[in-house]
Amino acid sequence: MTFVRIGGVPHHVVAEGSGPVCVLSAGLGMSWFDWDPVVPHLAPYRTVVRFDRPGHGLSAPAAAPPTAAGEADRIAAVLDALGHRGPAVVVGHSIAGFHAEAFARLHPERTAGLVLVDSSVEEDPRPARTTAPARALGAVLAAAGLPAALGPAVRDLAVRAGTVRRGAPGPDPALVRRVYRTSRVLRGTLLENARYEAVAAELLALREDRPLPPGLPVTVLAAPDGSARWERRQRALARRLGARYETAEPSGHLVMRDRPDTVARAVLDVRSRQEGAVDARGDVRSGQEGA
């Protein structure tokens, strides 16, 4: 296993495959191994970089609460640490969709494309003033021994709720126990959740000040799973970003587990879209925001 130090915090990273670089960043409370089903579809054609944000997976706890700019810079720092300084396709799932979009806005010269996988959407975020309650709750739950007792079971319930495929192979149970029996992951998840709306508000501000690069290939890959309201919000996000809109069906929120082939295709399509060979599978926009 590889660790790189960013801002004084050890980050767990995994890089495999060859070719143009893509970065996969998972949602709240998830780990690098949640992308395992996608990697075999990508590694023959791409250098696939996965990393755990602070307090997630095997990475050390966060030194400071997350921000949109900080998470964008973290992605850049991970790529720097691995020696990848050229443009990369950035894939963000759920809350990491905020981070991926922020990266494209703050590091446009390093962004080859953007794939938002059932990304979080907040039209009117109302940030909490402090993360103190989340920190206090984490301390209480850790002192009570709940992560060690219930952490893997809670993760299993979350995965079941977020997927429609049953019986699909999952990660090594020993790895799941190693990660989710720790209070570090509980605290990291609570901290990110407490900062969720603040990060969303920061991203809305970035949309006003930092346009996406002209012509950047952007895909919004949604899993409506029967929710008309969620589909409307995902389509609105695609329109706002001038993105191609696609659905992953059937799929729950954890699209990378239910439809890894669809996620991989969205990543691999970036090159053909850059070359102007856009197919007709989805709703295609001009690549300009607000189109």
Side-chain angles (χ1 to χ4, degrees), residues 82-283:
L82 297 176
H84 300 306
R85 291 180 169 79
V89 175
V90 184
V91 184
H93 167 252
S94 194
I95 193 174
F98 291 161
H99 311 157
E101 185 185 336
F103 178 86
R105 294 181 183 281
L106 293 171
H107 300 275
E109 74 288 350
R110 303 190 67 173
T111 310
L114 192 59
V115 179
L116 305 180
V117 181
D118 217 36
S119 178
S120 296
V121 180
E122 289 298 328
E123 298 86 354
D124 185 24
R126 299 178 181 181
R129 293 184 178 182
T130 176
T131 60
R135 293 179 184 275
L137 178 60
V140 169
L141 295 178
L146 289 185
L150 299 176
V154 171
R155 176 201 149 78
D156 184 59
L157 288 173
V159 170
R160 287 176 180 272
T163 54
V164 298
R165 292 180 66 195
R166 298 292 180 255
D172 183 345
L175 275 180
V176 173
R177 290 192 297 271
R178 179 179 176 184
V179 170
Y180 290 94
R181 284 173 57 87
T182 67
S183 64
R184 169 179 48 78
V185 172
L186 169 67
R187 292 169 188 258
T189 301
L190 289 172
L191 180 61
E192 273 205 352
N193 187 62
R195 289 285 298 168
Y196 171 83
E197 297 216 30
V199 171
E202 187 183 348
L203 180 60
L204 291 184
L206 285 176
R207 287 177 181 171
E208 298 299 321
D209 298 332
R210 297 292 190 102
L212 292 174
L216 180 72
V218 181
T219 296
V220 170
L221 179 59
D225 195 24
S227 171
R229 180 173 182 270
W230 185 241
E231 182 167 17
R232 286 195 300 270
R233 296 176 74 192
Q234 291 287 306
R235 284 186 177 275
L237 175 64
R239 288 193 297 270
R240 178 67 180 84
L241 302 182
R244 175 205 299 251
Y245 177 81
E246 296 184 18
T247 58
E249 297 177 309
S251 179
H253 182 52
L254 301 184
V255 185
M256 66 279 256
R257 296 175 62 84
D258 278 335
R259 295 300 305 270
D261 55 332
T262 302
V263 175
R265 190 189 70 230
V267 175
L268 296 174
D269 276 353
V270 167
R271 171 165 287 187
S272 64
R273 294 176 65 191
Q274 287 173 321
E275 295 170 351
V278 183
D279 62 34
R281 279 196 296 267
D283 296 344

